[in-house]
Amino acid sequence: MNKDQFKGRWTQFKGELKKQWGKFTDDDLLQIEGDYQKFQGSLQAKYGDRKEEVSRWADEWFKKHEAEADATRKQSAI
Protein backbone atom coordinates (compact mmCIF):
# COMPACT_ATOMS: atom_id res chain seq x y z
CA MET A 1 0.00 0.00 0.00
CA ASN A 2 1.18 3.51 -0.57
CA LYS A 3 0.62 6.67 1.45
CA ASP A 4 -2.03 8.05 -0.92
CA GLN A 5 -4.05 4.82 -0.74
CA PHE A 6 -3.76 4.90 3.04
CA LYS A 7 -5.01 8.47 3.30
CA GLY A 8 -7.79 7.91 0.75
CA ARG A 9 -9.23 4.90 2.54
CA TRP A 10 -8.59 6.08 6.09
CA THR A 11 -12.27 6.58 6.98
CA GLN A 12 -13.14 3.00 6.04
CA PHE A 13 -9.93 1.54 7.38
CA LYS A 14 -9.94 3.05 10.87
CA GLY A 15 -13.20 1.34 11.86
CA GLU A 16 -11.89 -2.05 10.77
CA LEU A 17 -8.55 -1.36 12.44
CA LYS A 18 -10.16 -0.59 15.79
CA LYS A 19 -12.46 -3.61 15.52
CA GLN A 20 -9.64 -6.02 14.65
CA TRP A 21 -6.85 -4.53 16.79
CA GLY A 22 -8.53 -3.13 19.90
CA LYS A 23 -5.51 -1.39 21.38
CA PHE A 24 -6.06 1.56 19.04
CA THR A 25 -8.16 4.16 20.84
CA ASP A 26 -10.28 6.92 19.34
CA ASP A 27 -7.53 9.36 20.38
CA ASP A 28 -4.95 7.27 18.51
CA LEU A 29 -7.11 7.32 15.39
CA LEU A 30 -7.59 11.09 15.64
CA GLN A 31 -3.84 11.61 15.95
CA ILE A 32 -3.07 9.30 13.01
CA GLU A 33 -5.81 10.81 10.80
CA GLY A 34 -4.69 9.12 7.60
CA ASP A 35 -0.95 9.71 8.04
CA TYR A 36 0.90 6.49 7.25
CA GLN A 37 4.01 7.49 9.21
CA LYS A 38 1.92 8.20 12.32
CA PHE A 39 0.15 4.88 11.85
CA GLN A 40 3.50 3.07 11.76
CA GLY A 41 4.65 4.87 14.93
CA SER A 42 1.45 4.10 16.78
CA LEU A 43 1.60 0.52 15.54
CA GLN A 44 5.09 0.14 16.99
CA ALA A 45 4.01 1.62 20.33
CA LYS A 46 0.85 -0.49 20.65
CA TYR A 47 1.94 -3.78 19.10
CA GLY A 48 5.75 -3.77 19.07
CA ASP A 49 6.22 -7.53 19.02
CA ARG A 50 3.23 -8.08 16.69
CA LYS A 51 3.92 -5.09 14.44
CA GLU A 52 4.59 -7.25 11.38
CA GLU A 53 1.35 -9.19 11.89
CA VAL A 54 -0.74 -6.01 12.11
CA SER A 55 1.10 -4.44 9.18
CA ARG A 56 0.49 -7.56 7.06
CA TRP A 57 -3.21 -7.45 7.99
CA ALA A 58 -3.37 -3.77 6.95
CA ASP A 59 -1.70 -4.52 3.60
CA GLU A 60 -4.16 -7.34 2.94
CA TRP A 61 -7.09 -5.09 3.87
CA PHE A 62 -5.97 -2.47 1.37
CA LYS A 63 -5.36 -5.04 -1.39
CA LYS A 64 -8.85 -6.48 -0.90
CA HIS A 65 -10.52 -3.08 -1.00
CA GLU A 66 -8.51 -1.92 -4.01
CA ALA A 67 -9.51 -5.09 -5.89
CA GLU A 68 -13.17 -4.44 -5.03
CA ALA A 69 -12.88 -0.81 -6.18
CA ASP A 70 -11.25 -1.92 -9.45
CA ALA A 71 -14.04 -4.42 -10.09
CA THR A 72 -16.66 -1.74 -9.44
CA ARG A 73 -14.92 0.68 -11.83
CA LYS A 74 -14.78 -1.99 -14.54
CA GLN A 75 -18.49 -2.76 -14.09
CA SER A 76 -19.30 0.95 -14.36
CA ALA A 77 -17.34 1.23 -17.60
CA ILE A 78 -19.36 -1.52 -19.27
Side-chain angles (χ1 to χ4, degrees), residues 9-61:
R9 296 230 180 245
W10 175 246
T11 302
Q12 294 170 298
F13 178 69
K14 68 182 178 182
E16 292 293 320
L17 177 68
K18 189 174 177 186
K19 201 182 317 180
Q20 185 72 26
W21 304 97
K23 289 184 184 179
F24 286 98
T25 65
D26 288 336
D27 286 341
D28 294 328
L29 300 176
L30 283 172
Q31 288 178 8
I32 295 168
E33 201 53 50
D35 185 309
Y36 187 72
Q37 299 254 341
K38 289 180 182 177
F39 170 65
Q40 289 294 316
S42 186
L43 181 60
Q44 178 64 40
K46 301 280 183 189
Y47 289 98
D49 60 331
R50 295 179 68 196
K51 179 183 176 191
E52 291 303 316
E53 180 183 354
V54 180
S55 191
R56 207 171 22 258
W57 173 86
D59 287 342
E60 289 170 8
W61 188 94

Side-chain angles (χ1 to χ4, degrees), residues 1-10 34-36 62 66:
M1 123 188 62
N2 67 43
K3 293 175 186 177
D4 290 333
Q5 288 173 316
F6 188 80
K7 189 170 190 95
R9 296 230 180 245
W10 175 246
D35 185 309
Y36 187 72
F62 276 91
E66 278 303 305

